[in-house]
Amino acid sequence: MNKKTFVIFGLVLALLVVVIPYWAFERDGDVANNRGISSESTPGKELFQTNCGNCHALYAAGTDGDFGPNLDQKLAPAGPAADKAAIDGIHTQVMTALEEGADDPNVPGRMPPGIVTGTVAEEIADFVAQNAGKG
Ligand code: HEC
């Protein structure tokens, strides 16, 4: 094998080994996102971990905060919400808690209003509504 053939062979091999799997991997990610499948790191999940996870356990987010109630138990005691009405109900409950805070005298601790607002609050409420009760 002369030197030129060797270099070309090397380039082809690099294409097969590195570029194609990378391309396929990237493409998979796009397809999953386009279908709206919640991949491992949805924005809502990350936002929940950052803003809520210190105080709340939620199985789907992998958080185990115990200052506030476990949200799997609090929001979907019978398991994940199955129908749209139930998901909307949880969404509303989360948004209300975020906007007004929560200070139930029967529950230890209180949650101040406005920990997150606007689209961040919406993203988190969507994520929680879709996933509460999976743990
Ligand atoms: C500083 C700790 C803390 C943080 C951060 C926090 N919470 Fe809370 N949360 C609490 C406590 C404590 C309660 C219980 C308050 C009560 O019911 O009186 C609570 C209650 C709740 C409730 C139940 C309200 C109800 O309907 O009774 C929801 C839903 C909730 N939190 C969602 C969230 C979300 C979503 C986030 C992130 C944006 C978040 N919390 C961040 C402490 C926290």
Side-chain angles (χ1 to χ4, degrees), residues 6 31-32 40 46 51-52 58 64 72 82 100 116 122 125 130:
F6 187 72
V31 170
E40 267 305 292
E46 284 178 10
N51 294 292
C52 322
L58 185 73
D64 61 0
D72 289 311
E100 298 174 5
V116 291
E122 288 284 348
Q130 301 282 348

Side-chain angles (χ1 to χ4, degrees), residues 47-56 58 66-71 74-75 90-98 101-112 114-117 120-121 124-125 128:
L47 290 168
F48 185 93
Q49 290 168 339
T50 310
N51 294 292
C52 322
N54 285 342
C55 292
H56 290 289
L58 185 73
D66 63 359
F67 183 73
N70 175 318
L71 293 185
K74 176 90 189 177
L75 299 174
I90 296 176
H91 187 279
T92 304
Q93 189 176 350
V94 174
M95 286 304 289
T96 305
L98 294 179
D103 196 10
D104 184 335
N106 301 315
V107 177
R110 63 178 286 274
M111 186 167 88
I115 291 177
V116 291
T117 55
V120 173
I124 292 175
V128 173

